[in-house]
Every structure is written in C-alpha cells, then in structure tokens.
Amino acid sequence: MGTSTAVDGAAADGTAGAPRPMRADARRNYERLLAEARAAFAEHGTDASLEDVARRAGVGIGTLYRHFPNRHALMNAVFQDALHTLLERSRDLAGADEPCTALVEWLRAIVTHAGEYRGLARALMSATHDASSALSQCSMPMCEAGERLLVRAQEAGAVRADVSIGDLMQLTNAIALAAEQTPDDPELADRLLTLTLRGLKP
C-alpha cells in the first residue's frame, strides 16, 4: 500500500474510491499517524491503543479511521518498509548455490522481523488464510516470494515435495510466536528452525 494514493476521508488502501493524491494536511496526518503507530507497536505490541496513537499524532480517532479503517490496515501500512526489505532479500537469495540454505535464511529473516513487534506473528498467522484482511497485503507477497525459494529447494532434492508454502509460513510464524513468548531463550528460534529443516528433508 503506497502512501501517495489515499485521501482524507477515504480508506488508505484505496478501497473507498479512485486513488487520488492526498492534500498536504491529510498527508501530514497520515505520516504522523504512521510514525506514532510504528513507535507504539514497537513499545507496546500490535495491540497498542489506537486512541493513544491518534492522540500522540495530534488528531482525533475519526481521522485515524478515515486513513486506516481497522487495526490490520494500520499494521499493513506500518510494515510496508519491512515487507519491502524481506522481498528484496528473497530476490537476493533466489540465485544462491544452496537453495535449502537460502530458504532457511529467508525464514530466519521473517522470524527476526516478526520478533520486532509483539503480536505480529499471531496477526500474520490469522491473516494467512483471510484474503479480506488488510494484512493479507503483507502475507500474500511473502508467500509468493517464499514459494519461489521453496520450489528451488524442492527441485534440488533438499526439501520434500509435499511441503507447501502455506504450511511453512504458518510454522515460521509459530516459531516467531514461540520466541516472542520465551524472551529469556534467545536461541529458541534457531533451534526450532533447525528442527523444521530436518522435517523438511526427503
């Protein structure tokens, strides 16, 4: 979702009508809301109070909902930079000499990203099979990128043919969720990824 397509009074994902450039004041509100949401999610998790986000941005809650009709729409906007980085990383790994290693490295990057915001892994798990969720705009491109890496690993004979990207993404988000809930064990995610890799092999 781009920041240049929403208008004040319309959904930021463009569903409320034809995309038009934002007015200057609407753009300022949009950017302030994004900045405050990013800070609030990092500090309090993705369940942070949206009313508090609006207050810290200096706008009313109605203005927040005009730009972001629900929490997932706001989360989708906040995580676009991280999504871009993950997609770029998947393209960098697409030509790696060891396809299975490339796949696991990318999955590790997803776990690291999800760990930056408490509650993100759970939200992504719920959005994986919900095309109506605004977060599917994050989960679907990641599934497509992961599919390409998975297929290369399968073609190389390093991953079982019956492994699906949907199951793999759910496992990855589950690992991120487990790591989130066990902050005193920083090695947990790597151990679980290693166990996952063993289960993926033919």
Side-chain angles (χ1 to χ4, degrees), residues 41-43 45 79 82 109-118 120 180:
F41 289 167
E43 183 178 357
F79 302 137
I110 294 176
V111 171
T112 299
H113 161 58
E116 294 176 359
Y117 299 94
R118 188 176 67 256
L120 177 57
E180 172 190 306

Side-chain angles (χ1 to χ4, degrees), residues 64 88 109 115 125 135 149 163 193 198-199:
L64 184 150
E88 283 290 323
M125 288 178 74
L135 267 185
L149 294 174
V163 175
L193 278 172
R198 291 174 182 168

Side-chain angles (χ1 to χ4, degrees), residues 10 12-13 15 17 30 40 45 58 60-61 71 96 104 120 137 151 161 183 195 201:
D13 62 2
T15 57
Y30 183 92
I61 190 63
R71 183 178 298 273
V104 173
L120 177 57
Q137 296 179 38
V151 168
L195 288 172
K201 290 182 176 180

